[in-house]
């Protein structure tokens, strides 16, 4: 047997003796037996492949435990970036946008609404954004159903013309805030109507 193979055999024997202590140390760090055993296997592999960097006669236990501890810390640094995806939470929060320019189109509609006469804008917002029926809007505004239908019809025609011409003004509201702005207008319209009811 050559001296190199004898050194390798001695290294293997010394490393094997440390396995039970390594397992106990790894399990105490991880708090989980399976993860601890995986960590020990990784540390043993690293120690075996890097055994040329070990200086014979020094404290092998300290050297191996340092490899084990560094492996544990590396895993922890990586794991904080990786969180498990909860499928139920993903279904509730992840929404596929089939129209990537929908926010811009909604913002154009919001700006076109500003160009309508007040009575038409009021009727269209109450029915379109508020979801009220023609009868409810007629009752809320003190008009007849036919008047509400006429206002909504004229508002839709006018909106289509404004959008086709692009004759709406730019403002400081972000396209992503368009729905919030329309809903704020709806709340403003509903408040006096609710008090009057």
């Amino acid at each position: 047997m050559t001296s190199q193979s004898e050194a390798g055999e001695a290294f293997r024997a010394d490393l094997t003796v440390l396995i039970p202590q390594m397992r106990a140390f790894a399990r105490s760090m991880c708090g989980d037996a399976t993860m601890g055993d995986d960590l020990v296997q990784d540390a043993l592999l690293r120690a075996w492949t890097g055994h040329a960097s070990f200086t014979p006669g020094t404290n092998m236990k300290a050297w191996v435990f340092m490899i084990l501890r560094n492996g544990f810390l590396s895993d922890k640094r990586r794991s904080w970036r990786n969180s498990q995806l909860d499928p139920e939470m993903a279904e509730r929060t992840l929404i596929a946008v089939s129209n990537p320019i929908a926010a811009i189109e909604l913002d154009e509609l919001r700006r076109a609404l500003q160009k309508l006469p007040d009575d038409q804008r009021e009727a269209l917002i109450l029915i379109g954004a508020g979801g009220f029926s023609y009868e409810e809007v007629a009752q809320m505004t003190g008009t007849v159903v036919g008047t509400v239908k006429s206002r909504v019809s004229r508002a839709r025609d006018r909106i289509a013309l404004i959008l086709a011409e692009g004759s709406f003004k730019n403002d400081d509201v972000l396209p992503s805030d368009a729905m919030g702005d329309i809903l704020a207008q709806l709340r403003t319209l509903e408040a006096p109507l609710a008090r009057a009811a």
Side-chain angles (χ1 to χ4, degrees):
M1 219 182 236
T2 65
S3 63
Q4 193 175 27
S5 62
E6 288 174 0
E9 195 59 37
F11 180 85
R12 185 188 65 74
D14 291 344
L15 189 61
T16 304
V17 169
L18 293 173
I19 291 175
Q21 295 171 36
M22 290 173 68
R23 290 180 74 194
F25 181 58
R27 287 178 179 186
S28 70
M29 282 192 298
C30 295
D32 179 83
T34 305
M35 288 174 57
D37 288 345
D38 290 346
L39 189 61
V40 169
Q41 286 179 359
D42 289 344
L44 287 169
L45 179 63
R46 288 181 185 164
W48 185 255
T49 56
H51 77 275
S53 65
F54 176 69
T55 308
T58 60
N59 188 343
M60 179 180 267
K61 182 178 177 182
W63 182 72
V64 172
F65 275 45
M66 182 184 68
I67 293 172
L68 190 61
R69 183 179 167 276
N70 288 345
F72 172 74
L73 294 176
S74 292
D75 286 349
K76 281 294 175 194
R77 278 193 295 271
R78 276 192 300 270
S79 69
W80 77 265
R81 292 185 194 101
N82 300 329
S83 59
Q84 294 296 321
L85 179 65
D86 179 9
E88 286 183 31
M89 179 64 79
E91 278 185 35
R92 289 192 304 266
T93 57
L94 300 177
I95 300 169
V97 178
S98 58
N99 183 359
I101 61 168
I104 295 169
E105 290 172 342
L106 184 61
D107 187 54
E108 290 174 352
L109 173 64
R110 178 193 62 80
R111 288 183 282 150
L113 280 168
Q114 295 172 354
K115 295 194 76 173
L116 294 177
D118 290 343
D119 60 343
Q120 291 179 15
R121 183 175 55 251
E122 177 186 58
L124 193 58
I125 289 175
L126 286 170
I127 289 177
F132 294 104
S133 68
Y134 289 109
E135 291 78 15
E136 290 171 322
V137 173
Q139 187 177 8
M140 293 164 79
T141 58
T143 58
V144 295
V145 174
T147 302
V148 174
K149 287 182 179 181
S150 175
R151 287 176 182 171
V152 170
S153 178
R154 284 185 280 137
R156 286 178 177 155
D157 290 344
R158 191 159 182 163
I159 287 280
L161 182 63
I162 292 167
L163 291 173
E165 293 175 347
S167 61
F168 42 82
K169 294 179 183 176
N170 288 329
D171 58 19
D172 294 333
V173 179
L174 295 173
S176 58
D177 296 333
M179 180 56 82
D181 187 73
I182 292 170
L183 293 175
Q185 290 180 55
L186 173 64
R187 285 190 295 274
T188 302
L189 291 172
E190 287 177 315
L193 297 173
R195 282 194 298 270

